[in-house]
Amino acid sequence: MPQFPFRLLRPLAVTAALFIAHAAQADDFGRVTLTEENDSIYFNDDQAYTQGFEFNYLGPDVAAESGWAAPFDGFANIGLFDTGAEVSRRYQIIFGQSIFTPEDTSVENPDPDDRPYAGWTYGGVSWVQDTDRRRLDNLELLIGIVGPAAQARPAQNDWHQFIGVDDAEGWDHQIHNEPGLMLSYERKYRFIQPLVGGFAIDAIPEAGVTLGNVMTYGEIGTMLRFGRNLEADYGPNRIRPSLSGTSYFNADYLEDPFGFYVYVGTQGRAVAQNIFLDGNTFRDSRSVDKEIFVGDITGGVALFWSNSIKLDAGFTYRTQEFEGQDDAAKFANINLTVGF
């Protein structure tokens, strides 16, 4: 069932406030997005990737003459970011927690052939640049902790007790504490075709790579969308690994206040490392033999009004991630964004 670790948001709120004080304009303070992914939103289930929660603060446009623009210029000099006639540069501050469990959570000693219990709590920053409304580059650094210190066990079982659901009993066998790091770079392109009445369709292919002891993988994917005001973003925010994945939004690119889109997409990943399946890096722990190739199919809808509010809802089907997995993972996501 869903778990909501809201008590963990205070450090990120302080960080976001400091960033606002230095980087925001008086009338442009950015956006906050809360993302919830869970296999119990549509299904009465707790297994595999069972819960994810993420807090994102998306800052305002960075002025070209500001010192905050220097990292973007540096990334452009080494070919990661591009230059164009119209450039929107944003910082994104991230905090989140992901929880993974085996299929049977009622036993104290889980099946060794099923995926181990694991939690991952993290914070980070990303540099996001939209170039000419046709290309989005995202460089993201996440640092956190895997294991008991991630507090996944109390996050899950405290919520279960609150809603009257049985505890997950096998947390004593979760993977051990280990500092975690993921460095990701993604590039997305937009191919858009206007239609009548302000409607349009677009295709957003993407490619990227993630490196780190938590996950290492390469990815390719494509999202198709139909709706209004599509140029304001490149799809809904999602928790890594996933199709799309930034909270980027630019209200200056809206033709009118109301926008919406329906979307469907797919992503394939070649996975070299997944600590939640491979187990700890430097010590023995529970583990299973992972599948090298994993695919997602996702779809949903997004509604937004100007810079003020945005609501996304979607569903993801994820192929088997390890040998012997009984069924594909299925989970839903709900995002709420508030601009201020």
Side-chain angles (χ1 to χ4, degrees), residues 319-337:
T319 63
Q320 283 88 342
E321 295 183 88
F322 62 92
E323 295 180 11
Q325 185 175 351
D326 288 341
D327 197 6
K330 300 177 287 291
F331 57 90
N333 68 282
I334 297 176
N335 305 350
L336 175 64
T337 301

Side-chain angles (χ1 to χ4, degrees), residues 9-22 55 57 93-94 124:
L9 295 181
R10 185 176 299 174
L12 186 60
V14 173
T15 303
L18 291 173
F19 178 81
I20 292 169
H22 286 284
F55 174 102
Y57 169 73
I93 296 173
I94 306 163

Side-chain angles (χ1 to χ4, degrees), residues 9 14 32 43 64 82 108 138 153 157 175 186 192 197 225 228 271 291 305 322:
L9 295 181
V14 173
V32 167
F43 305 97
D82 205 351
E108 294 183 4
N138 178 37
R153 178 179 190 164
N157 284 343
I175 62 176
E186 293 172 329
I192 190 166
R225 304 188 300 169
R228 295 174 54 88
V271 183
E291 297 285 356
W305 181 264
F322 62 92

Side-chain angles (χ1 to χ4, degrees), residues 28 32 39 42-43 70 72 81 85 93 115 117 124 163 168 184 191 203 222-223 231-232 236 239 269 301-302 308 321:
D28 186 5
V32 167
D39 57 359
Y42 295 147
F43 305 97
F72 292 91
F81 288 6
I93 296 173
R115 70 181 303 149
Y117 283 85
I163 63 176
S184 303
F191 299 93
T222 300
M223 178 175 289
E231 291 185 327
I239 297 173
R269 295 183 291 277
V301 61
S308 300
E321 295 183 88

Side-chain angles (χ1 to χ4, degrees), residues 83-102:
T83 57
E86 187 175 15
V87 172
S88 173
R89 293 170 163 180
R90 309 287 184 103
Y91 283 89
Q92 182 181 224
I93 296 173
I94 306 163
F95 178 83
Q97 183 187 63
S98 296
I99 300 175
F100 305 85
T101 64

Side-chain angles (χ1 to χ4, degrees), residues 29 35 113 244:
F29 287 92
T35 298
D113 293 326
S244 186

Side-chain angles (χ1 to χ4, degrees), residues 2-319:
Q3 301 86 32
F4 301 93
F6 291 117
R7 67 183 184 279
L8 302 176
L9 295 181
R10 185 176 299 174
L12 186 60
V14 173
T15 303
L18 291 173
F19 178 81
I20 292 169
H22 286 284
Q25 304 299 318
D27 59 348
D28 186 5
F29 287 92
R31 297 161 62 84
V32 167
T33 297
L34 304 179
T35 298
E36 169 69 16
E37 296 184 345
N38 198 283
D39 57 359
S40 295
I41 295 177
Y42 295 147
F43 305 97
N44 185 21
D45 204 359
D46 270 315
Q47 61 174 306
Y49 172 46
T50 186
Q51 156 72 16
F53 177 81
E54 196 169 88
F55 174 102
N56 288 267
Y57 169 73
L58 180 72
D61 265 321
V62 175
E65 66 276 8
S66 166
W68 294 93
F72 292 91
D73 294 333
F75 299 144
N77 288 337
I78 62 175
L80 292 182
F81 288 6
D82 205 351
T83 57
E86 187 175 15
V87 172
S88 173
R89 293 170 163 180
R90 309 287 184 103
Y91 283 89
Q92 182 181 224
I93 296 173
I94 306 163
F95 178 83
Q97 183 187 63
S98 296
I99 300 175
F100 305 85
T101 64
E103 181 177 358
D104 187 354
T105 60
S106 67
V107 297
E108 294 183 4
N109 187 8
D111 182 351
D113 293 326
D114 202 348
R115 70 181 303 149
Y117 283 85
W120 158 236
T121 296
Y122 56 89
V125 62
S126 70
W127 298 262
V128 185
Q129 178 176 303
D130 185 0
T131 305
D132 295 332
R133 310 191 193 186
R134 293 297 180 268
R135 169 175 161 180
L136 191 76
D137 294 294
N138 178 37
L139 180 64
E140 177 181 288
L141 175 64
L142 299 180
I143 298 174
I145 189 75
V146 173
Q151 297 296 297
R153 178 179 190 164
Q156 182 177 54
N157 284 343
D158 288 358
W159 178 254
H160 279 196
Q161 291 176 15
F162 177 74
I163 63 176
V165 174
D166 291 339
D167 286 351
E169 299 291 347
W171 278 104
D172 286 341
H173 299 275
Q174 67 179 297
I175 62 176
H176 307 299
N177 284 331
E178 181 174 328
L181 179 147
M182 293 189 354
L183 178 65
S184 303
Y185 174 72
E186 293 172 329
R187 176 176 294 178
K188 307 175 190 292
Y189 292 94
R190 186 204 317 277
F191 299 93
I192 190 166
Q193 176 60 55
L195 304 173
V196 298
F199 291 90
I201 56 174
D202 70 6
I204 304 175
E206 67 172 28
V209 62
T210 290
L211 304 173
N213 66 313
V214 177
M215 289 186 180
T216 294
Y217 59 87
E219 63 177 72
I220 57 172
T222 300
M223 178 175 289
L224 304 175
R225 304 188 300 169
F226 165 81
R228 295 174 54 88
N229 282 312
L230 298 183
E231 291 185 327
D233 69 17
Y234 286 77
N237 187 68
R238 295 294 307 279
I239 297 173
R240 193 172 300 280
S242 64
L243 184 67
S244 186
T246 76
S247 60
Y248 175 78
F249 187 91
N250 195 329
D252 293 339
Y253 297 164
L254 296 173
E255 298 294 333
D256 52 64
F258 175 70
F260 82 95
Y261 55 83
V262 293
Y263 66 91
V264 63
T266 184
Q267 183 188 77
R269 295 183 291 277
V271 183
Q273 163 70 5
N274 184 337
I275 197 171
F276 311 118
L277 301 173
D278 294 323
N280 288 102
T281 309
F282 304 109
R283 58 188 296 193
D284 290 336
S285 67
R286 291 286 182 103
S287 65
V288 291
D289 294 328
K290 69 175 178 293
E291 297 285 356
I292 301 300
F293 299 104
V294 178
D296 288 357
I297 299 174
T298 186
V301 61
L303 304 169
F304 48 95
W305 181 264
S306 185
N307 191 55
S308 300
I309 192 164
K310 184 171 185 276
L311 181 66
D312 309 312
F315 170 80
T316 296
Y317 173 97
R318 178 167 294 167
T319 63

